[in-house]
Amino acid sequence: MRLSSLFIVISTFVAAAVLCLVAAMFSADLIEDTSKRSVKRALDEENMLWTDVHAEGLQVFLTGVAPTEADRFRAISTAGGVVDASRVIDNMQVEAIANLAPPRFSVEILRNEAGIQLIGLIPQSADRDGLLTRLRKLDGSPRITDFLETAAYDPPEGWDAATKFALYALDLLPRAKISLEAQRVAVTAMSDSAKQRDALEAKLRRKAPSGLALTLDISAPRPVITPFTLRFVHDETGVRFDACSADSEAARDQILAAATAAGLDGEATCTIGLGVPTPSWAEAVGIALAGIGELGGGTVTFSDADITLVARTGTEQALFDRVIGEMDSDLPDVFALHSTLPQPEIVSEAGAIPDFTATLSPEGLVQLRGRLRDELSRDTTGNYARARFGSDAVHMAARLDQGLPHGWALRVMAGLDALAQLHNGALTITPDSVTLRGTTGDPEANARVSQLLADRLSQTDSFSIDVTYQEELDPVAQLPTPEECELAVQEILADEKITFEPGSGTLDESAGPIIDRIAAVLTDCTGVRLEIQGHTDSQGREEMNLALSQTRAQSVLNALHERRLLTSSLEAVGYGESQPVADNDTEEGREANRRIAFVLVHPEPEEEGDTEGGADTATEPQASEPGEDTAAENDATAAEPQESTDDQN
């Protein structure tokens, strides 16, 4: 009886627990369902039909893709107005309304004696390993420090071409910083001289692809000018500088301003260099030029701290004495002034003014005439001229005159050295002056001649220079453009055709003179990228035609190399029958299609992904063996019946 009572009590509690559990489950489901329906209804009323709602216990989860970020926050606020905001869980996403803009790809490349450092962002598709391999192949096998990062975006337009050009520039410049972006390259570098700087800038501008914004800042060290020379001339032909040197930009401006005040009309240049004898150089030059202006003409020459002033013939003695006296007292103490008022010319006993002349023809022939002091002077002058101009280029026709002034031979030697700086000209030496006239292709020749004569002649010697720069004599200015190189070769091939032995890549004997002419043209086109293209007609199998065209293009390249032509910028590529210029259905058309062409290569990407770190990655098809082309093409001048009617060139 007691056991039955205990069982009843336990059963009552178990039944109560079960009922409570069932009630709790129904209550939870009711709360979840109520919360879900209430929140969904509120969102629908706000026209946010893109939302999905589900509940787990007291938490309400919002999912879906919101049109905008504002819509997402509005949905959270609306749900928070129906249930407690802490119960709302945001699992929504926002629709992308625009693609993310690609990053700005750029690379900074620094090259110096320590190696090469790279930092920047490049497209992920760029051949990073190829880029590093290309850099390691530069002269000296430089150490590479790589700080490049990548981004998974397509390369921007012009990236590959700019990268190729940047690597080309880096190969030329052992000390440089190159900033690379799509369609823009900035080069900051150092050169060994102003001449090298000009040559590098010309080469880089010629190589730059079209559409590339190129900025060049190549500096050259200031030249050491010894002696530090300046020569200012005011004569009947006008006012000019034969040579001008300054130690700073401020000194240059001061000197040019003084020259303008002394009568110089037009632009003039002054070389800024090292070696100035005193910081008061510009002050002394200004005083001397003012003196020339006050005298009404004359010549003043500075050679370091020595100043030689020669007044114009006919200058009043009183004016000359006053101006020279004032200059002598105003000049800084370090300078020594030598002044001359020209006197009537010396006349020999025969009534003629003794002189010595040397003429240099455009062909390089030199004639020496006039008077020399003795036999030893004549032999010395002749040997010296042969050493300067060539033993077969000098003709000696000078006679002896023992009445010549002392120092005559030294003036002749200095004059010959000056004449050797010209392309052609004439040297005249009299007891009172040394005169040099001629033409040159060197824009710096005038200053160099003035410096040489000022250093070699005595302070009392007067000299005049009339040297004209002609651009057509300047070898740098006369270098052909890449387009002119291409056109010149095309004109040769338009007159004559490069032919081969039937069915092979061996050049025919008649091709030798043609390739000689092409090599002569390309000698002045060093660095110009040209593609030697081999083409065939459509007779025979396509793969054999492709191999034969490659073999023939390579044969032309090898022939140019054998003629000691630099071929690093030339590339042989065979195109087979893929680029006809005429109808292959006629013999005349097939003859036209069998050809070798020289085509200018612009450094632009040829196809997507064709960047070996910006390096040229155009590959050459393997040249076919001579025995493999029997189904290809033969020489234009012979016809042999084969599988492909092998009469092709």
Side-chain angles (χ1 to χ4, degrees), residues 526-593:
T526 303
V528 176
R529 290 191 60 199
L530 290 171
E531 187 176 81
I532 304 175
Q533 298 181 350
H535 299 276
T536 71
D537 60 25
S538 61
Q539 302 296 303
R541 294 199 299 273
E542 181 177 352
E543 61 273 13
M544 288 190 174
N545 285 337
L546 180 63
L548 181 59
S549 65
Q550 175 65 39
T551 303
R552 292 184 167 181
Q554 188 64 44
S555 296
V556 175
L557 178 60
N558 294 341
L560 291 172
H561 183 72
E562 291 170 359
R563 286 159 174 77
R564 307 182 67 82
L565 183 72
L566 294 177
T567 57
S568 59
S569 61
L570 304 180
E571 181 181 11
V573 180
Y575 288 93
E577 61 190 63
S578 63
Q579 297 184 7
V581 295
D583 188 356
N584 276 309
D585 293 335
T586 65
E587 178 55 36
E588 293 78 8
R590 290 192 292 271
E591 170 69 19
N593 289 331

Side-chain angles (χ1 to χ4, degrees), residues 500-507 548 551-552 626 629 633-635 649:
F500 299 83
E501 293 182 1
S504 78
T506 304
L507 288 164
L548 181 59
T551 303
R552 292 184 167 181
D629 55 12
E633 45 179 3
N634 272 352
D635 188 81
N649 181 25

Side-chain angles (χ1 to χ4, degrees), residues 331-371:
L331 285 169
D333 293 337
V334 69
F335 289 94
L337 175 63
H338 307 273
S339 58
T340 301
L341 180 60
Q343 301 299 320
E345 294 177 322
I346 301 174
V347 179
S348 66
E349 295 178 357
I353 301 173
D355 66 357
F356 173 86
T357 61
T359 58
L360 172 63
S361 71
E363 296 78 20
L365 302 178
V366 177
Q367 293 192 7
L368 306 179
R369 303 182 184 278
R371 306 184 187 193

Side-chain angles (χ1 to χ4, degrees), residues 282-608:
E283 177 188 356
V285 171
I287 293 172
L289 299 189
I292 290 293
E294 193 169 354
L295 288 172
T299 302
V300 62
T301 304
F302 282 71
S303 180
D304 287 334
D306 293 319
I307 307 174
T308 301
L309 187 149
V310 180
R312 296 180 68 173
T313 303
T315 301
E316 294 182 3
Q317 185 69 50
L319 175 62
F320 177 78
D321 293 339
R322 179 180 63 80
V323 171
I324 296 302
E326 293 175 352
M327 286 179 56
D328 209 8
S329 61
D330 293 340
L331 285 169
D333 293 337
V334 69
F335 289 94
L337 175 63
H338 307 273
S339 58
T340 301
L341 180 60
Q343 301 299 320
E345 294 177 322
I346 301 174
V347 179
S348 66
E349 295 178 357
I353 301 173
D355 66 357
F356 173 86
T357 61
T359 58
L360 172 63
S361 71
E363 296 78 20
L365 302 178
V366 177
Q367 293 192 7
L368 306 179
R369 303 182 184 278
R371 306 184 187 193
L372 293 171
R373 188 176 180 85
D374 49 38
E375 190 69 36
L376 178 61
S377 296
R378 183 162 61 183
D379 291 343
T380 302
T381 300
N383 292 333
Y384 191 76
R386 293 183 185 95
R388 293 293 294 175
F389 301 99
S391 58
D392 297 331
V394 177
H395 173 69
M396 170 62 77
R399 64 187 183 89
L400 304 182
D401 184 351
Q402 296 183 353
L404 295 173
H406 291 287
W408 186 265
L410 296 178
R411 300 171 74 188
V412 169
M413 300 298 180
L416 291 177
D417 278 341
L419 182 64
Q421 307 298 318
L422 307 184
H423 177 265
N424 61 280
L427 168 71
T428 303
I429 299 176
T430 67
D432 296 322
S433 67
V434 175
T435 302
L436 182 67
R437 296 181 177 86
T439 59
T440 178
D442 183 356
E444 303 296 330
N446 217 16
R448 189 162 56 250
V449 168
S450 296
Q451 182 177 336
L452 186 152
L453 293 179
D455 184 39
R456 299 279 295 277
L457 299 178
S458 70
Q459 298 296 328
T460 58
D461 288 333
S462 172
F463 64 89
S464 62
I465 303 170
D466 184 12
V467 176
T468 303
Y469 168 74
Q470 294 184 357
E471 185 175 344
E472 58 268 22
L473 300 177
D474 190 340
V476 176
Q478 294 306 306
L479 287 176
T481 65
E483 291 75 15
E484 291 172 341
C485 293
E486 179 188 34
L487 180 60
V489 177
Q490 289 176 348
E491 289 176 348
I492 294 174
L493 295 178
D495 296 335
E496 299 181 86
K497 189 173 184 178
I498 298 176
T499 58
F500 299 83
E501 293 182 1
S504 78
T506 304
L507 288 164
D508 187 81
E509 291 184 1
S510 63
I514 305 173
I515 294 182
D516 289 340
R517 293 175 60 192
I518 294 175
V521 168
L522 296 183
T523 299
D524 295 329
C525 299
T526 303
V528 176
R529 290 191 60 199
L530 290 171
E531 187 176 81
I532 304 175
Q533 298 181 350
H535 299 276
T536 71
D537 60 25
S538 61
Q539 302 296 303
R541 294 199 299 273
E542 181 177 352
E543 61 273 13
M544 288 190 174
N545 285 337
L546 180 63
L548 181 59
S549 65
Q550 175 65 39
T551 303
R552 292 184 167 181
Q554 188 64 44
S555 296
V556 175
L557 178 60
N558 294 341
L560 291 172
H561 183 72
E562 291 170 359
R563 286 159 174 77
R564 307 182 67 82
L565 183 72
L566 294 177
T567 57
S568 59
S569 61
L570 304 180
E571 181 181 11
V573 180
Y575 288 93
E577 61 190 63
S578 63
Q579 297 184 7
V581 295
D583 188 356
N584 276 309
D585 293 335
T586 65
E587 178 55 36
E588 293 78 8
R590 290 192 292 271
E591 170 69 19
N593 289 331
R594 298 190 293 266
R595 68 195 189 279
I596 291 291
F598 283 71
V599 178
L600 181 64
V601 177
H602 297 282
E604 297 178 354
E606 298 175 359
E607 59 183 48
E608 186 176 355

